[in-house]
Amino acid sequence: MNFAPLYSVVRRTAAAVAVIFLAALIGVGGPPQAVTSVVTFHPAVSDFQFITASETPPTQAQCASVNRRCFNATAMRNSYNLGPLYGQGLDGRGITIGIVDSFGSDTIAHDLRVFNDAFGLPHMCGEEGVTCGSGMPMFSELKQGNVNTTGQPPNNGTGLETHNLWALEVALDVEWAHAIAPGANILLIDTPTAETLGVQGFPDFFKAEKFVIDRHLADVISQSFASGEDAFNSTQSLLNLRYAFEAAKAQGVTMLAASGDSGSAAISKQPVKNPTMFPFPVVWWPASDPLVTGVGGTYLCTDPNTGGGVDSASPPVQCTSNPGMREVGWIAAGGGFSHVFARPLFQNALPALSTPIPATARGVPDVGYQASSRTGVLVYITNPGYTGIVCPGGSLCSAGWYVVGGTSSGSPQWAALIAIADQINGGPLGFINPALYKIGNDPTRYAADFYDVTTGNNGASAPAVPGYPATTGWDPVTGLGTPNAEKFLPDLVLAVNGN
């Protein structure tokens, strides 16, 4: 089973927010362990490019020089039409976003401050050098066991337990959840392993999530990790891990997960030096779980400087070769049809001309968001020794700005969107999947609330494993589409409440 992080970074100073240690609280007993064999989860950040070591964000010219466009906070917010909501004071305040990653990051408190300075975003209580004030959003960490991202484990040839790789996932998740919902609190939930080997990695994640859910420490949780469904030894070993999702539904916590970054493919087992790819299409769990909202991926072809309008002239080729298209289905976005879960009731009716979902299989994902690093988000990180990229002069350069991609970029940003919807609602919305498809089944609401992505495919591993095309309505690359936040978030609140 393959389990990977989906980019996010966060840390804190001694005088800032208190760190909660779970080891003594959840290290003994707890929910049943999964019966798995040599299964590994890893971050869902699939691609990234170092741009500059300066604390000043790179220019679009710098990004174009490596055939990419880079989105700053303002451009991304405008691309999904969040400005009118911010103008009404709707920014997620009073809501807490939980972000689950292995290892955490020793530099996140510093990196978050640089990120916020660079883009003029509100600071959080818990950042390095920030004095906490009344009404400030809180950044805090919940550590399970001995979490440390500075050191590296022995090299076993797979790289999946490289702590600093998860640190980039942490930076992505934390910085961009805050960028989209700047008034929300963020709780970074760190776990001490990135491998399961039967009883470790996945169970650690879900014990920590259950702890958070039972104590009402978060209202919405983003999961930037995934494993191919078919990598589990048995269906039951996967089902044994669902208890956190069942608790979330019962207690009104929204669960989101990235759909994966291998297109329609997955590998059978890790860690191994020569992993075997399944010779048939596979979806990734937990995004495939009906109790979770799965987030697929796109290339975003709006203006990277402002977020306004469609820019079909700037790199990458996926935008220049699709003139007039604001988004194109990302070739590596996970999606397809579950081999574990049947089609849930909420997917029985779809928008007109959608890709059909068979009764025997849950369709993945539910929604989409920008994901490719070719049209990626800017992330700042100083965690030492991250990539080993050689800068001019021959020295290793790791601190600085990266443009980052992966469906794990969309999951924390969707969590931030839900935090804003929770604020509109006056409290958590909880399980949102039926409401999403209720909107999708109303042509007027659907046209107003979603950007329907109808171009592209997720055949990253074709022809060995065929992919699926993005189509009108729901499809196995971008789900129902990407959000027009001004219209969608208030309408989601209405739909959850039966309207």
Side-chain angles (χ1 to χ4, degrees), residues 271-297:
V272 291
K273 292 186 178 181
N274 298 298
T276 301
M277 180 183 295
F278 291 107
F280 47 80
V282 175
V283 294
W284 291 62
W285 186 82
S288 67
D289 201 295
L291 297 179
V292 173
T293 301
V295 182

Side-chain angles (χ1 to χ4, degrees), residues 220-452:
V220 54
I221 293 176
S222 173
Q223 301 167 101
S224 287
F225 54 85
S227 172
E229 278 185 345
D230 296 73
F232 286 84
N233 266 5
S234 68
T235 297
Q236 189 58 50
S237 66
L238 183 155
L239 297 178
N240 286 346
L241 295 169
R242 300 184 72 226
Y243 58 86
F245 304 155
E246 292 163 348
K249 183 179 180 183
Q251 299 189 48
V253 176
T254 306
M255 304 296 296
L256 296 113
S259 67
D261 297 346
S262 299
S264 60
I267 53 179
S268 58
K269 295 197 184 291
Q270 288 185 338
V272 291
K273 292 186 178 181
N274 298 298
T276 301
M277 180 183 295
F278 291 107
F280 47 80
V282 175
V283 294
W284 291 62
W285 186 82
S288 67
D289 201 295
L291 297 179
V292 173
T293 301
V295 182
T298 71
Y299 302 92
L300 180 60
C301 301
T302 56
D303 186 323
N305 293 294
T306 67
V310 175
D311 174 2
S312 300
S314 302
V317 66
Q318 288 80 8
C319 294
T320 59
S321 62
N322 290 282
M325 303 297 268
R326 65 163 273 124
E327 290 180 84
V328 176
W330 183 40
I331 194 169
F337 303 97
S338 175
H339 297 158
V340 173
F341 302 101
R343 184 179 69 204
L345 291 177
F346 57 77
Q347 288 188 323
N348 280 351
L350 300 172
L353 304 179
S354 292
T355 300
I357 300 176
T360 56
R362 166 16 170 184
V364 185
D366 299 298
V367 293
Y369 207 86
Q370 182 285 131
S372 172
S373 72
R374 304 290 166 176
T375 61
V377 294
L378 288 168
V379 173
Y380 185 82
I381 180 173
T382 54
N383 199 286
Y386 174 59
T387 65
I389 295 172
V390 178
C391 286
S395 60
L396 293 180
C397 77
S398 57
W401 289 95
Y402 291 76
V403 58
V404 180
T407 53
S408 61
S409 174
S411 183
Q413 291 183 73
W414 258 94
L417 293 171
I418 299 305
I420 296 172
D422 287 347
Q423 181 189 357
I424 296 170
N425 187 56
L429 291 174
F431 183 51
I432 64 170
N433 286 359
L436 292 174
Y437 289 88
K438 181 177 183 178
I439 292 171
N441 294 328
D442 182 321
T444 301
R445 296 172 83 170
Y446 181 55
D449 293 359
F450 283 93
Y451 299 112
D452 189 8

